[in-house]
Amino acid sequence: MGETKPTTIDLVETFNYLVGLRVQTMQSLRGFKVITGLTPEGERTLIIWRDLAEKSNEELDTFFRKQDYNPRDMEFDLIYVNGDNNLENLRRPDETWKVRLIEEEFLRRMFDTQGM
């Protein structure tokens, strides 16, 4: 009892589970793992994972712009991205999506026991 052993986990799948995401699409595009889906609250969600050693904020910004994730017919309510980023700065005045750090949300949902 109390013994630990190394275990491989799938962070993407674990995060999707923690936020209760009903996955609609999951794809790898130009070095980014991109997931779309709905939260239990009905929020249209985009999740972008990247290897921080390989993909800079500039590359993330370029990828985000090229994907054109915010056309009027498919606007997201919530965007999660791992690592510090400046995607909020790309939001146009007519858009309302929010960006959250995957790491912060992961820790909050895994270890916040307030109200339980």
Side-chain angles (χ1 to χ4, degrees):
M1 191 159 129
E3 182 179 330
T4 61
K5 65 179 184 171
T7 304
T8 303
I9 63 162
D10 185 326
L11 288 177
V12 173
E13 289 294 333
T14 301
F15 185 75
N16 293 344
Y17 174 79
L18 285 174
V19 297
L21 193 72
R22 283 183 285 144
V23 174
Q24 294 171 325
T25 66
M26 185 181 298
Q27 50 190 325
S28 293
L29 300 168
R30 298 192 306 272
F32 295 91
K33 182 84 167 184
V34 180
I35 299 102
T36 63
L38 289 173
T39 66
E41 298 78 29
E43 292 175 301
R44 294 164 298 195
T45 303
L46 169 67
I47 303 172
I48 303 173
W49 289 87
R50 60 189 165 140
D51 181 333
L52 296 174
E54 294 180 11
K55 296 294 182 183
S56 68
N57 281 342
E58 293 78 25
E59 290 170 298
L60 174 63
D61 293 351
T62 299
F63 174 78
F64 191 82
R65 282 191 196 105
K66 283 185 178 179
Q67 292 305 115
D68 195 26
Y69 279 119
N70 292 294
R72 296 219 185 278
D73 63 337
M74 179 83 176
E75 185 176 42
F76 292 99
D77 301 308
L78 190 54
I79 299 171
Y80 289 104
V81 180
N82 69 313
D84 290 333
N85 64 81
N86 56 10
L87 288 184
E88 287 272 357
N89 298 335
L90 303 179
R91 185 175 54 213
R92 296 186 303 254
D94 62 330
E95 297 173 326
T96 59
W97 44 266
K98 299 174 278 247
V99 177
R100 294 190 183 150
L101 292 178
I102 288 173
E103 295 86 346
E104 290 177 0
E105 191 71 12
F106 211 113
L107 287 173
R108 187 180 72 75
R109 292 190 184 243
M110 284 289 293
F111 301 109
D112 185 4
T113 57
Q114 298 268 334
M116 291 186 164

PDB file of all heavy atoms in Angstrom, residues 41-74:
ATOM      1  N   GLU A  41     -22.425  21.759 -20.267  1.00  0.00           N
ATOM      2  CA  GLU A  41     -23.205  23.004 -20.230  1.00  0.00           C
ATOM      3  C   GLU A  41     -23.587  23.486 -21.629  1.00  0.00           C
ATOM      4  O   GLU A  41     -24.246  24.514 -21.769  1.00  0.00           O
ATOM      5  CB  GLU A  41     -22.409  24.115 -19.520  1.00  0.00           C
ATOM      6  CG  GLU A  41     -22.078  23.835 -18.074  1.00  0.00           C
ATOM      7  CD  GLU A  41     -20.912  22.865 -17.901  1.00  0.00           C
ATOM      8  OE1 GLU A  41     -20.020  22.796 -18.768  1.00  0.00           O
ATOM      9  OE2 GLU A  41     -20.920  22.147 -16.876  1.00  0.00           O
ATOM     10  N   GLY A  42     -23.178  22.746 -22.653  1.00  0.00           N
ATOM     11  CA  GLY A  42     -23.514  23.109 -24.025  1.00  0.00           C
ATOM     12  C   GLY A  42     -22.550  24.097 -24.667  1.00  0.00           C
ATOM     13  O   GLY A  42     -22.840  24.626 -25.738  1.00  0.00           O
ATOM     14  N   GLU A  43     -21.397  24.338 -24.041  1.00  0.00           N
ATOM     15  CA  GLU A  43     -20.429  25.261 -24.618  1.00  0.00           C
ATOM     16  C   GLU A  43     -19.685  24.594 -25.768  1.00  0.00           C
ATOM     17  O   GLU A  43     -19.156  23.492 -25.619  1.00  0.00           O
ATOM     18  CB  GLU A  43     -19.413  25.718 -23.568  1.00  0.00           C
ATOM     19  CG  GLU A  43     -20.012  26.583 -22.487  1.00  0.00           C
ATOM     20  CD  GLU A  43     -19.009  26.911 -21.405  1.00  0.00           C
ATOM     21  OE1 GLU A  43     -18.470  25.954 -20.783  1.00  0.00           O
ATOM     22  OE2 GLU A  43     -18.755  28.104 -21.188  1.00  0.00           O
ATOM     23  N   ARG A  44     -19.668  25.263 -26.913  1.00  0.00           N
ATOM     24  CA  ARG A  44     -18.912  24.773 -28.069  1.00  0.00           C
ATOM     25  C   ARG A  44     -17.437  25.007 -27.755  1.00  0.00           C
ATOM     26  O   ARG A  44     -17.022  26.135 -27.511  1.00  0.00           O
ATOM     27  CB  ARG A  44     -19.330  25.516 -29.324  1.00  0.00           C
ATOM     28  CG  ARG A  44     -20.784  25.216 -29.700  1.00  0.00           C
ATOM     29  CD  ARG A  44     -21.294  26.218 -30.664  1.00  0.00           C
ATOM     30  NE  ARG A  44     -21.259  27.534 -29.989  1.00  0.00           N
ATOM     31  CZ  ARG A  44     -21.880  28.610 -30.412  1.00  0.00           C
ATOM     32  NH1 ARG A  44     -22.572  28.556 -31.515  1.00  0.00           N
ATOM     33  NH2 ARG A  44     -21.803  29.746 -29.764  1.00  0.00           N
ATOM     34  N   THR A  45     -16.668  23.926 -27.774  1.00  0.00           N
ATOM     35  CA  THR A  45     -15.304  23.965 -27.249  1.00  0.00           C
ATOM     36  C   THR A  45     -14.290  23.502 -28.285  1.00  0.00           C
ATOM     37  O   THR A  45     -14.515  22.536 -29.004  1.00  0.00           O
ATOM     38  CB  THR A  45     -15.208  23.073 -25.992  1.00  0.00           C
ATOM     39  OG1 THR A  45     -16.175  23.537 -25.042  1.00  0.00           O
ATOM     40  CG2 THR A  45     -13.832  23.128 -25.370  1.00  0.00           C
ATOM     41  N   LEU A  46     -13.173  24.228 -28.317  1.00  0.00           N
ATOM     42  CA  LEU A  46     -12.020  23.890 -29.143  1.00  0.00           C
ATOM     43  C   LEU A  46     -10.841  23.686 -28.200  1.00  0.00           C
ATOM     44  O   LEU A  46     -10.611  24.508 -27.311  1.00  0.00           O
ATOM     45  CB  LEU A  46     -11.712  25.036 -30.109  1.00  0.00           C
ATOM     46  CG  LEU A  46     -10.393  24.976 -30.879  1.00  0.00           C
ATOM     47  CD1 LEU A  46     -10.405  23.810 -31.869  1.00  0.00           C
ATOM     48  CD2 LEU A  46     -10.150  26.288 -31.607  1.00  0.00           C
ATOM     49  N   ILE A  47     -10.127  22.581 -28.358  1.00  0.00           N
ATOM     50  CA  ILE A  47      -8.943  22.302 -27.541  1.00  0.00           C
ATOM     51  C   ILE A  47      -7.762  22.110 -28.484  1.00  0.00           C
ATOM     52  O   ILE A  47      -7.845  21.327 -29.428  1.00  0.00           O
ATOM     53  CB  ILE A  47      -9.139  21.046 -26.673  1.00  0.00           C
ATOM     54  CG1 ILE A  47     -10.379  21.197 -25.785  1.00  0.00           C
ATOM     55  CG2 ILE A  47      -7.892  20.793 -25.820  1.00  0.00           C
ATOM     56  CD1 ILE A  47     -10.771  19.944 -25.033  1.00  0.00           C
ATOM     57  N   ILE A  48      -6.684  22.851 -28.231  1.00  0.00           N
ATOM     58  CA  ILE A  48      -5.486  22.751 -29.054  1.00  0.00           C
ATOM     59  C   ILE A  48      -4.311  22.357 -28.159  1.00  0.00           C
ATOM     60  O   ILE A  48      -3.973  23.065 -27.215  1.00  0.00           O
ATOM     61  CB  ILE A  48      -5.164  24.083 -29.762  1.00  0.00           C
ATOM     62  CG1 ILE A  48      -6.351  24.543 -30.627  1.00  0.00           C
ATOM     63  CG2 ILE A  48      -3.893  23.935 -30.615  1.00  0.00           C
ATOM     64  CD1 ILE A  48      -6.172  25.919 -31.230  1.00  0.00           C
ATOM     65  N   TRP A  49      -3.730  21.207 -28.463  1.00  0.00           N
ATOM     66  CA  TRP A  49      -2.536  20.726 -27.768  1.00  0.00           C
ATOM     67  C   TRP A  49      -1.350  20.909 -28.696  1.00  0.00           C
ATOM     68  O   TRP A  49      -1.459  20.738 -29.909  1.00  0.00           O
ATOM     69  CB  TRP A  49      -2.656  19.236 -27.453  1.00  0.00           C
ATOM     70  CG  TRP A  49      -3.642  18.890 -26.399  1.00  0.00           C
ATOM     71  CD1 TRP A  49      -4.982  18.665 -26.578  1.00  0.00           C
ATOM     72  CD2 TRP A  49      -3.390  18.698 -25.008  1.00  0.00           C
ATOM     73  NE1 TRP A  49      -5.566  18.341 -25.382  1.00  0.00           N
ATOM     74  CE2 TRP A  49      -4.603  18.355 -24.395  1.00  0.00           C
ATOM     75  CE3 TRP A  49      -2.241  18.782 -24.220  1.00  0.00           C
ATOM     76  CZ2 TRP A  49      -4.717  18.093 -23.043  1.00  0.00           C
ATOM     77  CZ3 TRP A  49      -2.338  18.524 -22.870  1.00  0.00           C
ATOM     78  CH2 TRP A  49      -3.572  18.183 -22.286  1.00  0.00           C
ATOM     79  N   ARG A  50      -0.182  21.221 -28.107  1.00  0.00           N
ATOM     80  CA  ARG A  50       1.039  21.340 -28.887  1.00  0.00           C
ATOM     81  C   ARG A  50       2.228  20.928 -28.032  1.00  0.00           C
ATOM     82  O   ARG A  50       2.175  20.997 -26.809  1.00  0.00           O
ATOM     83  CB  ARG A  50       1.235  22.772 -29.372  1.00  0.00           C
ATOM     84  CG  ARG A  50       1.340  23.748 -28.204  1.00  0.00           C
ATOM     85  CD  ARG A  50       1.308  25.187 -28.647  1.00  0.00           C
ATOM     86  NE  ARG A  50       1.054  26.040 -27.492  1.00  0.00           N
ATOM     87  CZ  ARG A  50       1.629  27.195 -27.276  1.00  0.00           C
ATOM     88  NH1 ARG A  50       2.490  27.666 -28.141  1.00  0.00           N
ATOM     89  NH2 ARG A  50       1.330  27.902 -26.219  1.00  0.00           N
ATOM     90  N   ASP A  51       3.295  20.503 -28.684  1.00  0.00           N
ATOM     91  CA  ASP A  51       4.555  20.229 -28.004  1.00  0.00           C
ATOM     92  C   ASP A  51       5.229  21.586 -27.843  1.00  0.00           C
ATOM     93  O   ASP A  51       5.642  22.205 -28.835  1.00  0.00           O
ATOM     94  CB  ASP A  51       5.407  19.280 -28.841  1.00  0.00           C
ATOM     95  CG  ASP A  51       6.722  18.924 -28.177  1.00  0.00           C
ATOM     96  OD1 ASP A  51       7.242  19.736 -27.369  1.00  0.00           O
ATOM     97  OD2 ASP A  51       7.255  17.848 -28.479  1.00  0.00           O
ATOM     98  N   LEU A  52       5.339  22.066 -26.607  1.00  0.00           N
ATOM     99  CA  LEU A  52       5.853  23.406 -26.354  1.00  0.00           C
ATOM    100  C   LEU A  52       7.307  23.565 -26.777  1.00  0.00           C
ATOM    101  O   LEU A  52       7.747  24.680 -27.059  1.00  0.00           O
ATOM    102  CB  LEU A  52       5.679  23.781 -24.888  1.00  0.00           C
ATOM    103  CG  LEU A  52       4.214  23.869 -24.428  1.00  0.00           C
ATOM    104  CD1 LEU A  52       4.142  24.100 -22.929  1.00  0.00           C
ATOM    105  CD2 LEU A  52       3.463  24.953 -25.173  1.00  0.00           C
ATOM    106  N   ALA A  53       8.055  22.468 -26.847  1.00  0.00           N
ATOM    107  CA  ALA A  53       9.442  22.544 -27.285  1.00  0.00           C
ATOM    108  C   ALA A  53       9.531  22.710 -28.805  1.00  0.00           C
ATOM    109  O   ALA A  53      10.546  23.159 -29.332  1.00  0.00           O
ATOM    110  CB  ALA A  53      10.205  21.295 -26.858  1.00  0.00           C
ATOM    111  N   GLU A  54       8.445  22.370 -29.501  1.00  0.00           N
ATOM    112  CA  GLU A  54       8.456  22.419 -30.965  1.00  0.00           C
ATOM    113  C   GLU A  54       7.595  23.525 -31.551  1.00  0.00           C
ATOM    114  O   GLU A  54       7.844  23.980 -32.664  1.00  0.00           O
ATOM    115  CB  GLU A  54       7.981  21.079 -31.537  1.00  0.00           C
ATOM    116  CG  GLU A  54       8.914  19.936 -31.243  1.00  0.00           C
ATOM    117  CD  GLU A  54       8.421  18.626 -31.809  1.00  0.00           C
ATOM    118  OE1 GLU A  54       7.465  18.627 -32.619  1.00  0.00           O
ATOM    119  OE2 GLU A  54       8.984  17.578 -31.433  1.00  0.00           O
ATOM    120  N   LYS A  55       6.558  23.957 -30.829  1.00  0.00           N
ATOM    121  CA  LYS A  55       5.614  24.940 -31.379  1.00  0.00           C
ATOM    122  C   LYS A  55       5.585  26.198 -30.517  1.00  0.00           C
ATOM    123  O   LYS A  55       5.157  26.172 -29.364  1.00  0.00           O
ATOM    124  CB  LYS A  55       4.199  24.346 -31.468  1.00  0.00           C
ATOM    125  CG  LYS A  55       4.085  23.183 -32.427  1.00  0.00           C
ATOM    126  CD  LYS A  55       4.320  23.632 -33.853  1.00  0.00           C
ATOM    127  CE  LYS A  55       4.160  22.489 -34.828  1.00  0.00           C
ATOM    128  NZ  LYS A  55       4.454  22.898 -36.187  1.00  0.00           N
ATOM    129  N   SER A  56       6.021  27.306 -31.088  1.00  0.00           N
ATOM    130  CA  SER A  56       6.060  28.582 -30.376  1.00  0.00           C
ATOM    131  C   SER A  56       4.691  29.257 -30.401  1.00  0.00           C
ATOM    132  O   SER A  56       3.774  28.824 -31.104  1.00  0.00           O
ATOM    133  CB  SER A  56       7.078  29.507 -31.044  1.00  0.00           C
ATOM    134  OG  SER A  56       6.610  29.885 -32.343  1.00  0.00           O
ATOM    135  N   ASN A  57       4.574  30.347 -29.653  1.00  0.00           N
ATOM    136  CA  ASN A  57       3.332  31.124 -29.679  1.00  0.00           C
ATOM    137  C   ASN A  57       3.075  31.691 -31.070  1.00  0.00           C
ATOM    138  O   ASN A  57       1.919  31.755 -31.511  1.00  0.00           O
ATOM    139  CB  ASN A  57       3.379  32.261 -28.657  1.00  0.00           C
ATOM    140  CG  ASN A  57       3.105  31.783 -27.260  1.00  0.00           C
ATOM    141  OD1 ASN A  57       2.564  30.693 -27.066  1.00  0.00           O
ATOM    142  ND2 ASN A  57       3.470  32.568 -26.275  1.00  0.00           N
ATOM    143  N   GLU A  58       4.113  32.101 -31.765  1.00  0.00           N
ATOM    144  CA  GLU A  58       3.943  32.634 -33.116  1.00  0.00           C
ATOM    145  C   GLU A  58       3.385  31.558 -34.053  1.00  0.00           C
ATOM    146  O   GLU A  58       2.499  31.823 -34.860  1.00  0.00           O
ATOM    147  CB  GLU A  58       5.273  33.181 -33.658  1.00  0.00           C
ATOM    148  CG  GLU A  58       5.778  34.407 -32.937  1.00  0.00           C
ATOM    149  CD  GLU A  58       6.430  34.108 -31.580  1.00  0.00           C
ATOM    150  OE1 GLU A  58       6.930  32.973 -31.348  1.00  0.00           O
ATOM    151  OE2 GLU A  58       6.399  35.010 -30.719  1.00  0.00           O
ATOM    152  N   GLU A  59       3.912  30.336 -33.911  1.00  0.00           N
ATOM    153  CA  GLU A  59       3.413  29.234 -34.739  1.00  0.00           C
ATOM    154  C   GLU A  59       1.964  28.905 -34.379  1.00  0.00           C
ATOM    155  O   GLU A  59       1.151  28.596 -35.259  1.00  0.00           O
ATOM    156  CB  GLU A  59       4.295  28.002 -34.574  1.00  0.00           C
ATOM    157  CG  GLU A  59       5.668  28.183 -35.202  1.00  0.00           C
ATOM    158  CD  GLU A  59       6.627  27.073 -34.841  1.00  0.00           C
ATOM    159  OE1 GLU A  59       6.923  26.911 -33.638  1.00  0.00           O
ATOM    160  OE2 GLU A  59       7.063  26.369 -35.772  1.00  0.00           O
ATOM    161  N   LEU A  60       1.624  28.983 -33.098  1.00  0.00           N
ATOM    162  CA  LEU A  60       0.245  28.771 -32.663  1.00  0.00           C
ATOM    163  C   LEU A  60      -0.669  29.840 -33.261  1.00  0.00           C
ATOM    164  O   LEU A  60      -1.737  29.530 -33.786  1.00  0.00           O
ATOM    165  CB  LEU A  60       0.144  28.783 -31.136  1.00  0.00           C
ATOM    166  CG  LEU A  60      -1.261  28.717 -30.548  1.00  0.00           C
ATOM    167  CD1 LEU A  60      -1.958  27.407 -30.917  1.00  0.00           C
ATOM    168  CD2 LEU A  60      -1.202  28.895 -29.036  1.00  0.00           C
ATOM    169  N   ASP A  61      -0.254  31.102 -33.197  1.00  0.00           N
ATOM    170  CA  ASP A  61      -1.050  32.196 -33.769  1.00  0.00           C
ATOM    171  C   ASP A  61      -1.279  31.988 -35.259  1.00  0.00           C
ATOM    172  O   ASP A  61      -2.406  32.135 -35.756  1.00  0.00           O
ATOM    173  CB  ASP A  61      -0.361  33.549 -33.554  1.00  0.00           C
ATOM    174  CG  ASP A  61      -0.305  33.971 -32.102  1.00  0.00           C
ATOM    175  OD1 ASP A  61      -0.939  33.317 -31.250  1.00  0.00           O
ATOM    176  OD2 ASP A  61       0.382  34.974 -31.822  1.00  0.00           O
ATOM    177  N   THR A  62      -0.217  31.629 -35.971  1.00  0.00           N
ATOM    178  CA  THR A  62      -0.321  31.407 -37.414  1.00  0.00           C
ATOM    179  C   THR A  62      -1.264  30.244 -37.707  1.00  0.00           C
ATOM    180  O   THR A  62      -2.142  30.347 -38.576  1.00  0.00           O
ATOM    181  CB  THR A  62       1.075  31.119 -38.014  1.00  0.00           C
ATOM    182  OG1 THR A  62       1.908  32.258 -37.768  1.00  0.00           O
ATOM    183  CG2 THR A  62       0.998  30.854 -39.502  1.00  0.00           C
ATOM    184  N   PHE A  63      -1.114  29.150 -36.980  1.00  0.00           N
ATOM    185  CA  PHE A  63      -1.988  27.989 -37.147  1.00  0.00           C
ATOM    186  C   PHE A  63      -3.442  28.377 -36.899  1.00  0.00           C
ATOM    187  O   PHE A  63      -4.335  28.058 -37.679  1.00  0.00           O
ATOM    188  CB  PHE A  63      -1.556  26.885 -36.177  1.00  0.00           C
ATOM    189  CG  PHE A  63      -2.479  25.699 -36.153  1.00  0.00           C
ATOM    190  CD1 PHE A  63      -2.435  24.749 -37.148  1.00  0.00           C
ATOM    191  CD2 PHE A  63      -3.391  25.548 -35.126  1.00  0.00           C
ATOM    192  CE1 PHE A  63      -3.288  23.658 -37.134  1.00  0.00           C
ATOM    193  CE2 PHE A  63      -4.247  24.462 -35.091  1.00  0.00           C
ATOM    194  CZ  PHE A  63      -4.197  23.512 -36.104  1.00  0.00           C
ATOM    195  N   PHE A  64      -3.689  29.102 -35.810  1.00  0.00           N
ATOM    196  CA  PHE A  64      -5.044  29.499 -35.429  1.00  0.00           C
ATOM    197  C   PHE A  64      -5.680  30.359 -36.525  1.00  0.00           C
ATOM    198  O   PHE A  64      -6.829  30.144 -36.906  1.00  0.00           O
ATOM    199  CB  PHE A  64      -4.993  30.260 -34.106  1.00  0.00           C
ATOM    200  CG  PHE A  64      -6.333  30.498 -33.487  1.00  0.00           C
ATOM    201  CD1 PHE A  64      -6.953  29.511 -32.742  1.00  0.00           C
ATOM    202  CD2 PHE A  64      -6.976  31.720 -33.638  1.00  0.00           C
ATOM    203  CE1 PHE A  64      -8.189  29.727 -32.157  1.00  0.00           C
ATOM    204  CE2 PHE A  64      -8.217  31.941 -33.055  1.00  0.00           C
ATOM    205  CZ  PHE A  64      -8.813  30.945 -32.323  1.00  0.00           C
ATOM    206  N   ARG A  65      -4.926  31.328 -37.034  1.00  0.00           N
ATOM    207  CA  ARG A  65      -5.450  32.205 -38.096  1.00  0.00           C
ATOM    208  C   ARG A  65      -5.738  31.413 -39.372  1.00  0.00           C
ATOM    209  O   ARG A  65      -6.777  31.598 -40.005  1.00  0.00           O
ATOM    210  CB  ARG A  65      -4.455  33.316 -38.402  1.00  0.00           C
ATOM    211  CG  ARG A  65      -4.460  34.434 -37.416  1.00  0.00           C
ATOM    212  CD  ARG A  65      -3.635  35.619 -37.940  1.00  0.00           C
ATOM    213  NE  ARG A  65      -3.322  36.517 -36.873  1.00  0.00           N
ATOM    214  CZ  ARG A  65      -2.131  36.628 -36.284  1.00  0.00           C
ATOM    215  NH1 ARG A  65      -1.133  35.866 -36.682  1.00  0.00           N
ATOM    216  NH2 ARG A  65      -1.933  37.487 -35.329  1.00  0.00           N
ATOM    217  N   LYS A  66      -4.814  30.521 -39.755  1.00  0.00           N
ATOM    218  CA  LYS A  66      -4.983  29.752 -40.991  1.00  0.00           C
ATOM    219  C   LYS A  66      -6.172  28.801 -40.913  1.00  0.00           C
ATOM    220  O   LYS A  66      -6.815  28.534 -41.927  1.00  0.00           O
ATOM    221  CB  LYS A  66      -3.711  28.976 -41.314  1.00  0.00           C
ATOM    222  CG  LYS A  66      -2.629  29.844 -41.898  1.00  0.00           C
ATOM    223  CD  LYS A  66      -1.432  29.027 -42.321  1.00  0.00           C
ATOM    224  CE  LYS A  66      -0.391  29.921 -42.953  1.00  0.00           C
ATOM    225  NZ  LYS A  66       0.804  29.176 -43.351  1.00  0.00           N
ATOM    226  N   GLN A  67      -6.451  28.280 -39.722  1.00  0.00           N
ATOM    227  CA  GLN A  67      -7.578  27.364 -39.574  1.00  0.00           C
ATOM    228  C   GLN A  67      -8.895  28.119 -39.622  1.00  0.00           C
ATOM    229  O   GLN A  67      -9.936  27.516 -39.841  1.00  0.00           O
ATOM    230  CB  GLN A  67      -7.471  26.594 -38.258  1.00  0.00           C
ATOM    231  CG  GLN A  67      -6.323  25.620 -38.193  1.00  0.00           C
ATOM    232  CD  GLN A  67      -6.344  24.630 -39.339  1.00  0.00           C
ATOM    233  OE1 GLN A  67      -5.454  24.632 -40.172  1.00  0.00           O
ATOM    234  NE2 GLN A  67      -7.342  23.799 -39.405  1.00  0.00           N
ATOM    235  N   ASP A  68      -8.868  29.412 -39.396  1.00  0.00           N
ATOM    236  CA  ASP A  68     -10.078  30.250 -39.424  1.00  0.00           C
ATOM    237  C   ASP A  68     -11.170  29.639 -38.569  1.00  0.00           C
ATOM    238  O   ASP A  68     -12.267  29.333 -39.020  1.00  0.00           O
ATOM    239  CB  ASP A  68     -10.555  30.451 -40.863  1.00  0.00           C
ATOM    240  CG  ASP A  68     -11.561  31.600 -40.966  1.00  0.00           C
ATOM    241  OD1 ASP A  68     -11.530  32.511 -40.117  1.00  0.00           O
ATOM    242  OD2 ASP A  68     -12.389  31.570 -41.899  1.00  0.00           O
ATOM    243  N   TYR A  69     -10.852  29.431 -37.278  1.00  0.00           N
ATOM    244  CA  TYR A  69     -11.756  28.747 -36.374  1.00  0.00           C
ATOM    245  C   TYR A  69     -12.999  29.529 -35.979  1.00  0.00           C
ATOM    246  O   TYR A  69     -13.831  29.023 -35.292  1.00  0.00           O
ATOM    247  CB  TYR A  69     -11.018  28.345 -35.095  1.00  0.00           C
ATOM    248  CG  TYR A  69     -10.219  27.098 -35.266  1.00  0.00           C
ATOM    249  CD1 TYR A  69      -8.848  27.102 -35.097  1.00  0.00           C
ATOM    250  CD2 TYR A  69     -10.830  25.902 -35.610  1.00  0.00           C
ATOM    251  CE1 TYR A  69      -8.109  25.944 -35.249  1.00  0.00           C
ATOM    252  CE2 TYR A  69     -10.091  24.750 -35.777  1.00  0.00           C
ATOM    253  CZ  TYR A  69      -8.746  24.782 -35.589  1.00  0.00           C
ATOM    254  OH  TYR A  69      -8.017  23.642 -35.746  1.00  0.00           O
ATOM    255  N   ASN A  70     -13.125  30.769 -36.379  1.00  0.00           N
ATOM    256  CA  ASN A  70     -14.246  31.559 -35.890  1.00  0.00           C
ATOM    257  C   ASN A  70     -15.190  32.097 -36.952  1.00  0.00           C
ATOM    258  O   ASN A  70     -15.694  33.201 -36.809  1.00  0.00           O
ATOM    259  CB  ASN A  70     -13.709  32.715 -35.044  1.00  0.00           C
ATOM    260  CG  ASN A  70     -13.093  32.184 -33.784  1.00  0.00           C
ATOM    261  OD1 ASN A  70     -13.777  31.646 -32.944  1.00  0.00           O
ATOM    262  ND2 ASN A  70     -11.791  32.307 -33.668  1.00  0.00           N
ATOM    263  N   PRO A  71     -15.449  31.364 -38.017  1.00  0.00           N
ATOM    264  CA  PRO A  71     -16.482  31.851 -38.925  1.00  0.00           C
ATOM    265  C   PRO A  71     -17.816  31.892 -38.179  1.00  0.00           C
ATOM    266  O   PRO A  71     -18.031  31.170 -37.225  1.00  0.00           O
ATOM    267  CB  PRO A  71     -16.502  30.819 -40.048  1.00  0.00           C
ATOM    268  CG  PRO A  71     -15.870  29.603 -39.490  1.00  0.00           C
ATOM    269  CD  PRO A  71     -14.933  30.062 -38.408  1.00  0.00           C
ATOM    270  N   ARG A  72     -18.679  32.751 -38.578  1.00  0.00           N
ATOM    271  CA  ARG A  72     -19.933  32.984 -37.851  1.00  0.00           C
ATOM    272  C   ARG A  72     -20.764  31.723 -37.616  1.00  0.00           C
ATOM    273  O   ARG A  72     -21.448  31.608 -36.628  1.00  0.00           O
ATOM    274  CB  ARG A  72     -20.769  34.008 -38.604  1.00  0.00           C
ATOM    275  CG  ARG A  72     -20.097  35.353 -38.663  1.00  0.00           C
ATOM    276  CD  ARG A  72     -21.119  36.445 -38.483  1.00  0.00           C
ATOM    277  NE  ARG A  72     -20.531  37.742 -38.658  1.00  0.00           N
ATOM    278  CZ  ARG A  72     -19.871  38.399 -37.734  1.00  0.00           C
ATOM    279  NH1 ARG A  72     -19.679  37.872 -36.571  1.00  0.00           N
ATOM    280  NH2 ARG A  72     -19.390  39.597 -37.968  1.00  0.00           N
ATOM    281  N   ASP A  73     -20.687  30.771 -38.528  1.00  0.00           N
ATOM    282  CA  ASP A  73     -21.524  29.576 -38.366  1.00  0.00           C
ATOM    283  C   ASP A  73     -20.901  28.529 -37.443  1.00  0.00           C
ATOM    284  O   ASP A  73     -21.522  27.531 -37.157  1.00  0.00           O
ATOM    285  CB  ASP A  73     -21.820  28.944 -39.734  1.00  0.00           C
ATOM    286  CG  ASP A  73     -20.581  28.445 -40.434  1.00  0.00           C
ATOM    287  OD1 ASP A  73     -19.480  28.926 -40.121  1.00  0.00           O
ATOM    288  OD2 ASP A  73     -20.722  27.589 -41.315  1.00  0.00           O
ATOM    289  N   MET A  74     -19.678  28.740 -36.940  1.00  0.00           N
ATOM    290  CA  MET A  74     -19.039  27.721 -36.105  1.00  0.00           C
ATOM    291  C   MET A  74     -18.213  28.377 -35.001  1.00  0.00           C
ATOM    292  O   MET A  74     -17.111  27.982 -34.723  1.00  0.00           O
ATOM    293  CB  MET A  74     -18.146  26.845 -36.996  1.00  0.00           C
ATOM    294  CG  MET A  74     -17.405  25.759 -36.293  1.00  0.00           C
ATOM    295  SD  MET A  74     -18.417  24.320 -36.073  1.00  0.00           S
ATOM    296  CE  MET A  74     -17.207  23.240 -35.358  1.00  0.00           C
TER     297      MET A  74
END
